[in-house]
Amino acid sequence: MAEMAAKGESPEVLFWVGCAGSFDDRYKAVTQAFVKILNKVGVSFAVLGPEEACTGDPARRAGNEFLFQMQAVANIQVLNGYEVKKVVTACPHCFNTIKNEYPALGGNYEVIHHSQFLQQLINEGKVALKGGGEFKGKKITFHDSCYLGRANNVYEAPREVIKALDVELVEMKRCRTKGLCCGAGGAQMFKEPEPGKKDINIERTEEALATGAQAIAVGCPFCLTMMTDGVKNKERENDVKVYDLAEMIAKDMGI
Amino acid sequence: MSFLPQVAFLIILAVAVFILAKRVRFLKRNIQLGKAEARNDQPEARWKTMLLVAFGQQKMFKRFIPAFLHLLIYVGFVVINLEVLEFILDGILGTHRLLAPILGSVYTAAINIFEFLAVAVLFSCVVFLFRRNITKVPRFQKPEMKGWPTLDGNLILVIEIILMFAILTMNATDQILANRGDEHYIALGTLFFSSLIQPLFEGMSTGTLVFVERFAWWFHIAGILAFAVYVTFSKHLHIFLAFPNTWYSNLKPKGEMQNMPEVTNEVNMMLGIPTDALADTPAEIGRFGAKDINDLSWVNILNAYSCTECGRCTSECPANLTGKKLSPRKIMMDVRDRADEVGKSLDAGGPGLEDGKSLLGDYITKEELNACTSCNACVEACPVNIDPLSIILQMRRYVAMEESGTPAQWNAMFQNMETSFSPWKFSPQDRFNWADSVKEEEISD
């Protein structure tokens, strides 16, 4: 972003990478896949790189409002400084925070989740899917992320993206508004679960496996981690893969 | 003609109204123990929400069988209460079936409809008792349901069954008397459902029948008034509060947490950002977050009194499903019970909130709060738009900011965020490293 600003350019959209997208070894592949799609399609975009900080979502959900606002206000200063108008992110937590919670602190942007962005690109014909790709005809199930679904009522965009791959989309028993959390929201990602009978991601993974799907599609870095761990726990990592939507599209595009 | 029954009726009515008024004041004051919060914006959307969710029972129908049975009771309650208007007029004026001669055949049709609904309510209540006590639907067996909540649920169903029997008994005996030519009673033509139980009474003498009929009449009207009073002590309060509760629903996206302007001012000052702090800061900053009910919004307490303990929230809660201590229903019951406790203490001239107890600790534990994934399943599930998550998150704020009592792993996450602007311990300078491989690929292309 700094480079573009120095040249006096302003990108069409800012890609908010998020902490998982920047640092998580597995999830970096999703960031790279999404960027490759954007490059291939020729979308003018920028990232903040080292100027990006955590949105503050986990701090806020864990109760630390001060820390959240410190992060948020600093981010808003950077975003407003670059006169950012439109933000796309692959992380539903970043999406929810920037879209719904930054306005109260002076950050007003059009924010969309990458599932919505990908759906637009597909609808506009900008993403040319080969069909007959790796996923053709396969059974895929989609795990709704709480911060995309219930929190923001985005249920169809990710499904439209998956259907565009010419796959058989199978639904879990608890889906859409009734979707079961992966167990990572509300800052649970950053601590051990409280004592109980079972881990939430195992419960959800069992439900996903029960559909007979060959792959589990997600649209959230935390869900990706939780479902991947769940599949490993069930020793099914060899025949059931967990993918982010962007990875599936990029694979189909052969990039 | 004796005025004794009319006097007795007026006394019963006056006592009921007096107690009800007192209870309404009690509940209103308890709700107002919460902090002020404006929820009057978008009146059109609010009326629409109330019509769909409360009046139209939209969210009930996510589970069809209980929704259908509940609908029968709901319609029965609303419609049969039209007849109570006649009861009250008859009671005051000393008349009997005042409206029958005026309405003629419409009256007979109306009574038949009421009888059908009475049977439908009876049926639903029996099935609900069966679900609670025989098939034991799991959401009614959770630990927070032990004792009074289970008894309360069963009592309501049993009382409704008895009241419906009273209506049918009254109509059956009334019509036998009318057909015997008793001048006080008006023949209404066929009353289908009550005629089915007439054989039970046909052998009785006229004197006994009059007694049974009068007893059923008094029992029904006094029962309804007593039940109305009972409701204000019970989870059954939802029959009234569901309406205001849905009107005051949160209309914002469910994922949005409410901002704390008092924190914003401090953060802006720390970062040297000019702020119109004095304009919108309360003169005195109370606690950060919620420790007790007076730290919550009045809407949270209204929510608590509107909860009928159906447990749909708890049955969808991922934490509860996997055996954690958290139950969103218990959160709502705790808020209500604490508000009741404080209210009673205040009325008795006691210490109220300063009784050495608090919602956090004495009712809700940190373990429960810490188990929440903020997934909004409970909020989505609630048929009357109650928001347990809002309470959980406000209480987490208190634990984090006033007690520094968050779990160690969260404290570590806070530290990482303070020092490296990420919940994980990575150098902020490495944020762009993911791009290295993309750049390489592009160069090689």
Side-chain angles (χ1 to χ4, degrees), chain A residues 70 73-74 77, chain B residues 264-275:
Chain A
M70 293 291 285
V73 170
Q77 282 190 309
Chain B
T264 310
N265 288 324
E266 294 206 18
V267 167
N268 283 348
M269 274 190 275
M270 261 192 281
L271 295 176
I273 299 168
T275 167

Side-chain angles (χ1 to χ4, degrees), chain B residues 2 34 56 79 84 119 155 183 187 229 233 258 324 388 390 401 403:
Chain B
S2 163
V79 176
V84 173
V119 171
L155 270 178
E183 57 178 299
V229 172
F233 290 91
Q258 213 171 26
K324 278 84 175 171
S390 151
M401 291 192 282
E403 286 192 336

Side-chain angles (χ1 to χ4, degrees), chain B residues 68-82:
Chain B
F68 178 71
L69 296 168
H70 180 269
L71 182 71
L72 294 178
I73 298 181
Y74 166 67
V75 174
F77 170 80
V78 173
V79 176
I80 294 172
N81 274 342
L82 293 176

Side-chain angles (χ1 to χ4, degrees), chain A residues 39 61 101 147 188 198, chain B residues 257 324 370 372 374 442:
Chain A
N39 280 336
R61 265 77 199 163
E101 298 180 354
Y147 276 80
Q188 298 296 338
K198 197 178 191 179
Chain B
M257 263 178 87
K324 278 84 175 171
N370 290 342
C372 174
S374 71
E442 277 180 6

